[in-house]
Amino acid sequence: ILDYAEWTHDRRLVDAVARIAEKLAAHELSTLGSVGYFDHFTDASACPNVTTELCDAMHWMRLSRDLFLATKEPRHLDRMEEAFFNAFLPGIFRDGTWVAHGTRSHGTRQDTAPHQVGMKYHHCCVDNACRAWDHYVESTLALDAADGTLYVNFYTPGKHYVGRDGDTCSLTIWDGYPFADKVTTMI
C-alpha cells in the first residue's frame, strides 16, 4: 500500500498504513520489539514471555522503514532499530551459517526451524534475513532529495554510502555502538 501511495501521491493511504502500525504497536508490540506472538496477533504486548518468528520481526522492520520513508517520523526508525537488536539479531546464529525460526524473550533464545514442507535445509526466515540486513544497512544513512540534508539514522559501525545524481557520500562510524555511550564519525 505504501508503494502504491508513493506512486499515486495519495496521503490518505500513508495515513491508513500509519494507523494500522499504531494499532499493532499498541496491542501487538512484544517485549522483543517485534509484533505478534509467534506469527499470531494475540495481544502479544500483554505477554512478558514471548516467542517471535524472525519473519515477524523482519516484516515489522520493513514496515517501520517504509513508514519512515513516507512520513519522516523518527519513531518508525526507533521501532526498526529495537526489532533489529532485540528480535532479529538474537535469531542469527553466531557463526552466520543459519537463522533461527524464532527467538524468545526468556530461556532459549533460538528455536531452530522445523522442517517446513519437507525442506530440510530451507525455511522462509533464512530467505528473508538477507533482505532485513539490507534494509537495516540502507537505513543507516538517508539523503533528503529536496535539500541534500544527510541524516544518520543508526550508529552501526562500518563504512556507509548514500548518493544522489551520481554523487556519493560516505560516512564511517566506529567506537562500539550500541554498547558504548559515544560514537565517532568521519565523512
Side-chain angles (χ1 to χ4, degrees):
I1 293 173
L2 289 173
D3 288 342
Y4 183 68
E6 183 180 4
W7 184 71
T8 61
H9 304 288
D10 188 344
R11 182 67 193 187
R12 295 175 304 164
L13 298 171
V14 174
D15 294 341
V17 173
R19 285 193 303 273
I20 292 168
E22 292 308 311
K23 289 286 188 187
L24 288 171
H27 301 286
E28 295 297 335
L29 195 61
S30 73
T31 55
L32 292 172
S34 181
V35 292
Y37 190 102
F38 209 57
D39 211 22
H40 298 281
F41 291 144
T42 56
D43 198 18
S45 61
C47 302
N49 184 5
V50 68
T51 299
T52 190
E53 185 174 335
L54 255 64
C55 284
D56 297 341
M58 293 179 233
H59 291 301
W60 179 243
M61 289 167 51
R62 183 177 181 200
L63 176 62
S64 298
R65 173 185 180 263
D66 290 349
L67 276 170
F68 169 74
L69 293 173
T71 66
K72 304 296 185 257
E73 294 174 10
R75 76 174 176 276
H76 300 299
L77 286 180
D78 292 341
R79 290 174 179 162
M80 181 182 183
E81 185 177 35
E82 182 179 28
F84 179 79
F85 280 112
N86 297 312
F88 176 73
L89 279 185
I92 306 298
F93 283 33
R94 291 204 184 268
D95 64 3
T97 59
W98 196 246
V99 174
H101 183 234
T103 57
R104 297 204 51 184
S105 59
H106 295 75
T108 304
R109 294 292 290 173
Q110 297 176 333
D111 298 326
T112 56
H115 301 298
Q116 292 178 344
V117 293
M119 292 189 268
K120 185 176 180 182
Y121 301 107
H122 168 80
H123 67 88
C124 59
C125 294
V126 172
D127 295 341
N128 286 313
C130 297
R131 183 179 349 161
W133 280 108
D134 283 346
H135 286 163
Y136 185 82
V137 171
E138 288 172 356
S139 300
T140 298
L141 298 181
L143 185 63
D144 189 319
D147 65 9
T149 301
L150 177 66
Y151 295 93
V152 180
N153 299 321
F154 305 129
Y155 298 106
T156 304
K159 190 163 190 172
H160 307 280
Y161 300 89
V162 67
R164 178 182 78 188
D165 300 328
D167 293 329
T168 300
C169 176
S170 70
L171 179 74
T172 304
I173 302 172
W174 68 96
D175 275 346
Y177 178 80
F179 305 106
D181 291 335
K182 70 171 190 162
V183 296
T184 305
T185 61
M186 182 175 65
I187 293 181

